């Protein structure tokens, strides 16, 4: 079995605290025709470099029944800036159009097989996975973006078209797992920032 969810898989449920002080489960997003679950954090330059692109997608597709749920699963012990108080501050400063959830136990990241920040999962109305991977091809530098996979998938999905490319490799920092050093990989500058 692959580590990350495969296309057609059901969305794993969760019960997580959000920056608004409420707890959310998968059922709280039941009214959405499509649900984008994405693993994110507070500090990663691939996240902060593409947040506004993600915001544009969330705002563009909101009226088409698409909801966004961002999940921070990074260990606060490995990377203190990723703790819950920093999440709350970040949402207060940026007012992102998504629910920002804290997966302190990292169980949700494991259930989804999150590999990077950011890592996107798009689910249909039955909460079956129709896309997993990157949001864009250059998340760290918006000026170099030539492909926006997230908007392509949402355009196809909300128009009733088949998903032309259902899987890409996520681009970003490694998820910071509890009890592990912040692993560095070629092309992963997050641990140096």
């Amino acid at each position: 079995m692959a580590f990350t969810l495969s296309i057609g898989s059901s969305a794993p449920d969760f019960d997580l605290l959000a920056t608004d002080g409420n707890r959310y489960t998968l059922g709280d997003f039941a009214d959405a025709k499509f649900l984008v679950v994405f693993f994110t954090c507070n500090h990663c330059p691939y996240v902060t470099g593409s947040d506004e692109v993600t915001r544009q997608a969330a705002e563009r597709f909101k009226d088409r029944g698409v909801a966004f749920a961002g999940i921070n699963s990074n260990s606060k012990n490995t990377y203190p800036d990723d703790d819950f108080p920093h999440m709350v501050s970040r949402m207060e400063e940026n007012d992102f159009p998504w629910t920002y959830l804290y997966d302190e136990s990292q169980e949700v990241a494991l259930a989804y097989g999150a590999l990077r920040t950011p890592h996107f999962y798009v689910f249909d109305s039955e909460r079956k996975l129709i896309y997993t991977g990157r949001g864009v091809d250059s998340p760290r530098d918006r000026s170099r973006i030539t492909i926006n996979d997230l908007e392509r998938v949402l355009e196809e999905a909300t128009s009733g078209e088949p998903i032309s490319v259902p899987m890409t490799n996520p681009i970003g920092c490694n998820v910071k797992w509890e009890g592990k050093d912040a692993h560095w990989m070629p092309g992963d500058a997050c641990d140096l920032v």
Side-chain angles (χ1 to χ4, degrees), residues 140-166:
R140 191 166 175 166
D141 182 356
R142 274 191 293 171
S143 68
R144 299 180 63 186
I145 293 172
T146 59
I147 301 170
N148 188 324
D149 287 290
L150 182 59
E151 288 214 354
R152 169 190 56 78
V153 168
L154 294 177
E155 185 64 50
E156 291 169 346
T158 58
S159 300
E161 298 170 18
I163 306 305
S164 55
V165 181

